[in-house]
Structure formats: structure tokens, C-alpha cells
Amino acid sequence: MLHLTFRQLQIFDAVARHLSYSRAAEELHLTQPAVSMQMRELEENIGLAMLEQIGKKIFLTHAGEELQRRSRDILVRLGETRAALESMRGVDHGQLNIAVVSTAKYFAPKLLALFCQRFESVKLNLTVSNREEVLHRLTENKTDLAIMGQLPEDLDAEKEAFAYHPLGIIAPPDHPLARAKQIPLHVLMNENFLIREPGSGTRNVFERLLTTHRLQAARTLQMDSNETIKQAVMAGMGIALLSLHTIGLELEAKRLIVLDVESLPVMRRWYIAHRTGKRLSPAAVAFRQFLLEEGALLLGQGCDKGQKPSRQKPIGKRPPANDARKGRLGADRGKA
């Protein structure tokens, strides 16, 4: 008989997905030695090697590939069992697993903190990653809810919009066009644009914007985080299309400005999403309702500092306020 623990399966699943002890440890909030020890115990209990190291790379053995396929189903079923039992205990004793795209990390902690003040006994597990990883967690049923932009049409998930999400072109305060009004977008094409990595929602919006206007940036420099981009723009390395939710402090400190560009900012939407058929725990249901009823107001209070409302030009007609509160903001034109 196999003597495997639920925790060992969780750790094995993380190692198998990342093929890295260190990345698995980071995801699970463990130390690398703890992950290695659990993997050794798992292999000893099974009597087969699950992983093999060739050079500096880790690979799954045939036995490891078989266990990975079966462990996913086991973890999903155990998660559903946990959710079903917790639902009998009510919101105050539930667990909330939520994944957010990296751009949302500038406001998601505030919303979660307010929610947890109301439901003090809820256990929170927050994952912050880029769009591709959040989509992976949704697809593999590894999170209850996700906060992100537009979802792929072929993903079997339910979503509701709860707030608008403006993106504009940021620059240092001494930029030559800092005081210009209604700058044609093509005028900026000779600038050095700082862009996010492939798979990022911000990168997708930037590429879609240029495609729509049939433009091409002369020079781009790729960076892997919003923080790096902001620091580079402040240092004078270039300009960037970035979420205006990410620059509140820099606008207040007058270290960044938003250029007044025609057709900008691009107005997207934030969605709360979960897999179709997912049995949400009472905690997840309560947080979803909290976002749909209060998210837009709370997000607006936290991200409008230093911004002029006249600069926000939504794509299409803005829906009535009551629909915005309920999250029914219509279809998004761009991918997140």
C-alpha cells in the first residue's frame, strides 16, 4: 500500500510543473530543503524515482509522469471535498484561494484586506503572477477565483467585470512632450518603448494598439515587471504603455507623468473569474459578491490620485452606474 500524504502530492505536483525545487518552494511558501526532503520521502514510500537530474536540469521519470497525471485528479477531488465540507461551516471558517495578474497587485491587497476585516476567520492564499500563469491556474483548477483582464474565448470559465482599467503612456516629467496636448500616436514611434514580456496582458494591449493604428515602434526594450519599467522610465531610458493603476505614488511624487495622447488611455476592464462548474466555497462566493458590489468604488478611490478624469476616454459608451456596480460592463475589445 502506498503511504502518501496530501502535502507530499501537493509538493510533487509543484515540482513536476516547474521542474525546479526552488520555484516549487517559492510557490508553496516553503524552504528548498523542506521540498527536497518531502520528495525523498515520497520516492522512498513509492519505491520508485520520480525525478532525475541530468546536468543542471530536472526531468520526470516515466513513473513521475504517471504520478503527475493521477495526482492532478486526486488534488482536484480533494479540493472539491474540502470546499464541500467548508461550505457546511459557513464563510467565517472558509479558505479563499485567489490568483491575480501582476498588474492587479497594486490594488488587490487593499481589496483583500478590507474583505478580511469583515470575515476575520477566512484563510487567504494569494498568488501573483503574469497572465499565462494565472490562466494556467484557472485551467488546472488550482485557484478558486482570478482577478485579471479579458479571458480567452476558448477557456471554459465564468467571468464578470467589476471595474474599469485605464492604460496610458508614461514618461519622465522632463520629457519634451510633457506639456503637449493631444499628441498623435505616430509621433511617439521614434521613442524607445519599454515593454513587458510575451504573455503579459500589458504587452498584448501595446501590440494590439499599434496594430489597430498600423504603426510600429522603432525601438523596444523588454523588461519583466512593471516596477522595472517604471524605474527605467524615471531614469530616462524611454516611455511605456502601462496601467495607470500602477503609478499612483509616482504621480503624487511627480516622478512620472501621463502623456496626453490621442485615443488614450485605453480603457479595459477588470474581471473576477472562475472555472465553469466550480463549486465555490462560501468565502469565495462572498468575495466575488464583495468585488461586484464595491470593487469599482474602492478601486476608483485608490487609483485616481494625480489623474485628470478628462484624460480617460473609454472605448465605446460607458454603461450605467448600476450595471458597473454589478460587474456587467459589457464585452472587452482587447485581450488582457
Side-chain angles (χ1 to χ4, degrees), residues 48-328:
L48 293 169
M50 299 292 108
L51 303 165
E52 58 184 357
Q53 184 167 346
I54 301 177
K56 295 183 178 181
K57 292 185 177 182
I58 294 176
F59 300 89
L60 289 172
T61 63
H62 292 306
E65 291 174 352
E66 181 66 20
L67 180 60
Q68 184 186 31
R69 284 193 294 270
R70 298 183 182 277
S71 65
R72 287 179 180 175
D73 183 60
I74 293 171
L75 292 173
V76 168
R77 291 180 180 275
L78 285 173
E80 291 176 346
T81 301
R82 182 209 68 206
L85 294 175
E86 285 181 348
S87 67
M88 300 177 185
R89 304 172 65 188
V91 176
D92 287 340
H93 297 87
Q95 179 168 319
L96 177 60
N97 296 311
I98 186 165
V100 305
V101 292
S102 55
T103 300
K105 72 181 180 182
Y106 294 91
F107 65 82
K110 173 184 176 180
L111 300 179
L112 288 164
L114 290 172
F115 176 77
C116 289
Q117 287 175 11
R118 300 181 188 180
F119 302 99
E120 297 180 356
S121 298
V122 169
K123 297 179 180 179
L124 176 65
N125 181 24
L126 173 64
T127 299
V128 179
S129 192
N130 67 12
R131 179 175 184 270
E132 287 189 342
E133 177 59 23
V134 171
L135 285 173
H136 171 76
R137 296 187 68 82
L138 269 179
T139 302
E140 297 298 322
N141 198 28
K142 295 184 181 298
T143 189
D144 298 326
L145 298 167
I147 294 178
M148 59 188 305
Q150 180 69 13
L151 279 70
E153 293 182 0
D154 59 351
L155 179 62
D156 189 17
E158 297 180 18
K159 64 173 185 179
E160 288 192 85
F162 66 89
Y164 280 99
H165 178 199
L167 293 96
I169 293 181
I170 64 171
D174 60 353
H175 191 277
L177 297 174
R179 298 182 181 276
K181 301 296 182 183
Q182 291 296 285
I183 306 165
L185 187 59
H186 69 83
V187 171
L188 301 176
M189 290 303 101
N190 288 327
E191 298 271 354
N192 188 32
F193 271 92
L194 311 179
I195 61 176
R196 285 287 302 272
E197 77 283 0
S200 160
T202 307
R203 171 72 170 266
N204 291 345
V205 173
F206 175 73
E207 292 175 347
R208 186 181 182 88
L209 178 66
L210 296 194
T211 299
T212 299
H213 291 270
R214 299 180 181 179
L215 297 172
Q216 183 173 356
R219 298 179 301 277
T220 59
L221 178 60
Q222 180 177 308
M223 298 183 176
D224 63 359
S225 74
N226 293 328
E227 287 301 314
T228 305
I229 288 178
K230 289 193 295 183
Q231 292 297 323
V233 172
M234 287 187 283
M237 292 179 62
I239 62 177
L241 179 75
L242 209 62
S243 167
L244 301 188
H245 289 163
T246 69
I247 60 172
L249 294 177
E250 290 79 11
L251 288 176
E252 287 185 3
K254 298 182 179 180
R255 301 186 66 189
L256 286 174
I257 62 170
V258 180
L259 294 180
D260 189 345
V261 181
E262 288 182 352
S263 303
L264 293 181
V266 175
M267 294 299 290
R268 298 162 69 218
R269 296 168 176 88
W270 287 116
Y271 291 91
I272 183 73
H274 62 85
R275 285 300 305 271
T276 300
K278 174 77 173 176
R279 295 182 62 181
L280 296 177
S281 67
V285 170
F287 181 70
R288 173 178 168 275
Q289 193 66 24
F290 166 74
L291 276 191
L292 296 180
E293 293 180 354
E294 303 180 46
L297 178 61
L298 293 171
L299 187 55
Q301 290 176 343
C303 67
D304 286 341
K305 294 179 180 180
Q307 298 176 25
K308 295 182 179 180
S310 61
R311 284 185 173 180
Q312 295 194 7
K313 307 178 184 67
I315 297 175
K317 185 178 180 181
R318 182 182 289 270
N322 62 329
D323 282 350
R325 287 197 304 271
K326 294 179 182 178
R328 295 190 290 270

